[in-house]
Amino acid sequence: MRFVIKLFISMCIITLCSQIGRKLPTLAGLIAVMPLTGLIVLIWLYLDNPCNLTLMTDYTKGALWGILPSILFFFVAFLCFQKRLSLWIVLCASFAVWIAAAVIHQLLLK
């Protein structure tokens, strides 16, 4: 049952962002990257593993350093959209950069 609740909340956040994005795209972007997702994950991790501060510390460290690959993803997407590239090229380029940065992220945090 807890899994279904988690799934429902996640779907609501994504749906809310896409609906807001139709009229206020910058606000939807802000909501999509705000710490709301991190907050929800922290709560779920804590409820699933009460008092495991090592897990919480490791998660927050990964999230903190994980911001850099995400910034690169959106930066590449922004540049590609400014050049009027197609959505699929933008997504491929952005994810390629994100994956490279995520691999480096994981290697550096080990």
Side-chain angles (χ1 to χ4, degrees):
M1 183 64 180
R2 190 180 287 190
F3 175 77
V4 173
I5 292 170
K6 291 176 184 179
L7 185 63
F8 179 73
I9 291 171
S10 300
M11 289 181 348
C12 287
I13 292 169
I14 293 168
T15 302
L16 177 69
C17 286
S18 66
Q19 293 299 321
I20 291 173
R22 293 178 182 186
K23 301 235 184 224
L24 303 165
T26 56
L27 177 60
L30 176 64
I31 293 169
V33 298
M34 67 190 265
L36 177 62
T37 306
L39 172 71
I40 291 170
V41 173
L42 280 172
I43 291 169
W44 290 337
L45 283 175
Y46 183 80
L47 291 175
D48 292 341
N49 306 280
C51 301
N52 186 344
L53 293 180
T54 302
L55 178 67
M56 306 298 278
T57 301
D58 289 345
Y59 167 75
T60 53
K61 179 174 77 173
L64 177 65
W65 289 105
I67 291 169
L68 297 175
S70 295
I71 288 171
L72 290 173
F73 171 89
F74 287 110
F75 182 69
V76 170
F78 174 75
L79 292 177
C80 289
F81 279 128
Q82 279 193 326
K83 293 184 180 199
R84 306 267 187 232
L85 299 176
S86 74
L87 175 63
W88 299 112
I89 292 173
V90 172
L91 293 178
C92 288
S94 299
F95 271 110
V97 169
W98 183 87
I99 288 170
V103 167
I104 293 168
H105 169 273
Q106 288 298 292
L107 292 173
L108 292 176
L109 290 181
K110 286 188 179 187

